[in-house]
């Protein structure tokens, strides 16, 4: 549709579609000149992309980061029925959020069309907007407050929402992702307030909270222009984009579970240095409603993913730097693409070099679909294809 009716060439059309499906939100579309139908199509892409990946992650993931629905209920279950149950769970919660969010945005001052679009893109932590100025175009505190709630709901692991619906509050409060969120978000907002927004915004505290929430949940909505921010503010936003949202949610990034697991692993390793050699200990972490103990074998793939993610971040940043962009801008822009965030410092544009756009597309693709899953799938494909072509 972007190619046939939007007036974009093939590369730009693929870029916008990839950004939509991966719920990234980096955009080269001129929303002021784009039809309402195409704007709604963009929002629908993000809504479907967010729900689709959440269903697959809740259904099929295994290992230390496994968040399968049956695992949360302490049962083993076949993949196909689990997909069906996970789909019903995600869609029922997702559609309920969307209905409530769209209605709330309409009540606080948005037109129905804008309200529906932003409910879709906030819940999917995608960040596409119907206005060039994103959420800041409304200048409405009520709109921003509703959007913050929707972004946090989109960031929430659907298993946590499921546990809340079942009335299981105790394991939710113990959840490592929520504990990390409760520490990271106020800390980052505080740093942004004291170092950036104080004295530069009519509502400095709220601006800091909104921008920190948008970056950590990998949504990408903005109420201010980052171009005039000091380097410290950019660094805070970059760190939040790298951390990302909850596992089994619509958000991207490294994922809060992995960060929490690595922090617990480091603490446990320091404890082992003080304990007798015969002592056997493992850090405990809550996933959904289940308490698990992380072993060294389980922490290994998390560490590997962390290495691959940061290595890809460096490689993508180098590509952008090779095109003449400053290091800070290159790091910010590719961290946004790889984390499927959508915040931009101005590099992503219609006139950007095609190699820059393709590099960002690869970042969105790998960042959204998980490195180990892709590498394992490609390796398995290469191993399985040759026997199919052998004679007899």
């Amino acid at each position: 549709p972007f190619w046939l009716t939007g007036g974009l060439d093939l590369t730009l059309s693929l870029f916008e579609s990839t950004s939509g499906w991966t719920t990234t939100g980096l955009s080269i579309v001129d929303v002021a000149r784009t039809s309402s139908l195409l704007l709604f199509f963009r929002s629908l892409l993000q809504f479907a992309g967010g729900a689709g990946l959440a269903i697959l992650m809740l259904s099929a993931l295994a290992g230390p980061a496994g968040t399968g629905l049956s695992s949360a209920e302490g049962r083993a279950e076949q993949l196909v029925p689990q997909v069906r149950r996970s789909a019903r769970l995600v869609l029922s919660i997702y559609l309920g959020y969307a209905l409530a969010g769209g209605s709330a945005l309409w009540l606080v001052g948005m037109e129905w069309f804008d309200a529906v679009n932003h409910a879709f893109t906030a819940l999917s932590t995608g960040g596409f907007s119907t206005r060039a100025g994103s959420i800041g175009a409304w200048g409405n505190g009520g709109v921003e407050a509703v959007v913050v709630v929707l972004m946090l709901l989109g960031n929430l692991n659907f298993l946590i929402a499921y546990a809340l619906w079942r009335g299981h509050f105790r394991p939710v409060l113990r959840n490592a992702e929520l504990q990390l969120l409760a520490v990271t978000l106020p800390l980052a907002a505080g740093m942004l307030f004291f170092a950036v927004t104080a004295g530069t915004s009519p509502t400095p505290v709220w601006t800091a909270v909104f921008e920190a929430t948008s970056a950590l949940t990998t949504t990408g909505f903005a109420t201010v222009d980052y171009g005039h921010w000091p380097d410290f503010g950019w660094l805070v936003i970059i760190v939040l984009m790298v951390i990302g949202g909850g596992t089994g949610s619509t958000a991207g990034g490294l994922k809060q579970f992995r960060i929490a697991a690595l922090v617990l692993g480091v603490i446990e390793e320091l404890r082992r240095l003080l304990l007798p050699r015969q002592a056997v200990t493992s850090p405990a972490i809550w996933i959904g409603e289940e308490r698990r103990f992380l072993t060294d074998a389980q922490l290994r793939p998390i560490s590997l993913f962390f290495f691959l993610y940061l290595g890809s971040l460096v490689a993508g940043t180098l590509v952008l730097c090779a095109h003449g962009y400053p290091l800070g801008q290159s790091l910010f822009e590719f961290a946004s693409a790889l984390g499927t965030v959508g915040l931009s410092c101005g590099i992503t544009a219609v006139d950007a070099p095609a190699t820059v756009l393709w590099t960002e597309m690869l970042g969105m693709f790998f960042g959204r679909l998980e490195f180990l899953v892709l590498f394992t799938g490609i390796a398995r494909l290469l191993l399985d294809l040759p026997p199919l072509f052998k004679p007899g």
Side-chain angles (χ1 to χ4, degrees), residues 169-179 285-287 291:
F169 300 105
R170 194 172 182 182
V172 170
L173 296 176
R174 293 173 174 174
N175 186 272
E177 290 182 331
L178 283 184
Q179 291 176 350
I285 192 168
W286 284 84
I287 302 175
R291 187 175 184 232

Side-chain angles (χ1 to χ4, degrees), residues 140-161:
N140 184 323
V143 167
E144 294 171 11
V146 173
V147 168
V148 164
V149 173
L150 292 177
M151 289 191 293
L152 290 173
L153 289 175
N155 167 85
L156 198 65
N157 186 322
F158 278 101
L159 287 182
I160 297 176

Side-chain angles (χ1 to χ4, degrees), residues 110-286:
M110 274 192 177
E111 297 292 335
W112 266 115
F113 178 77
D114 296 320
V116 170
N117 278 271
H118 286 86
F120 281 4
T121 57
L123 283 173
S124 64
T125 60
F128 277 159
S129 178
T130 57
R131 302 288 181 89
S134 190
I135 299 299
W138 275 270
N140 184 323
V143 167
E144 294 171 11
V146 173
V147 168
V148 164
V149 173
L150 292 177
M151 289 191 293
L152 290 173
L153 289 175
N155 167 85
L156 198 65
N157 186 322
F158 278 101
L159 287 182
I160 297 176
Y162 182 50
L164 289 172
W165 179 74
R166 298 171 66 195
H168 297 179
F169 300 105
R170 194 172 182 182
V172 170
L173 296 176
R174 293 173 174 174
N175 186 272
E177 290 182 331
L178 283 184
Q179 291 176 350
L180 181 65
L181 179 69
V183 172
T184 305
L185 190 56
L187 179 62
M191 288 191 292
L192 288 178
F193 168 70
F194 287 108
V196 181
T197 62
T200 63
S201 170
T203 54
V205 175
W206 179 247
T207 299
V209 170
F210 186 94
E211 302 306 323
T213 303
S214 181
L216 185 61
T217 61
T218 72
T219 306
F221 284 136
T223 59
V224 295
D225 180 8
Y226 294 107
H228 303 292
W229 276 26
D231 290 343
F232 180 85
W234 281 34
L235 181 59
V236 171
I237 294 296
I238 289 171
V239 170
L240 293 177
M241 291 192 294
V242 169
I243 292 174
T247 305
S249 71
T250 65
L254 273 169
K255 300 292 174 37
Q256 294 160 8
F257 172 83
R258 291 190 178 98
I259 300 298
L262 288 174
V263 170
L264 289 176
V266 170
I267 294 174
E268 188 64 23
E269 194 62 30
L270 294 176
R271 283 186 59 205
R272 288 176 183 174
L273 297 176
L274 304 176
L275 294 174
R277 290 186 177 182
Q278 297 79 8
V280 178
T281 61
S282 295
I285 192 168
W286 284 84

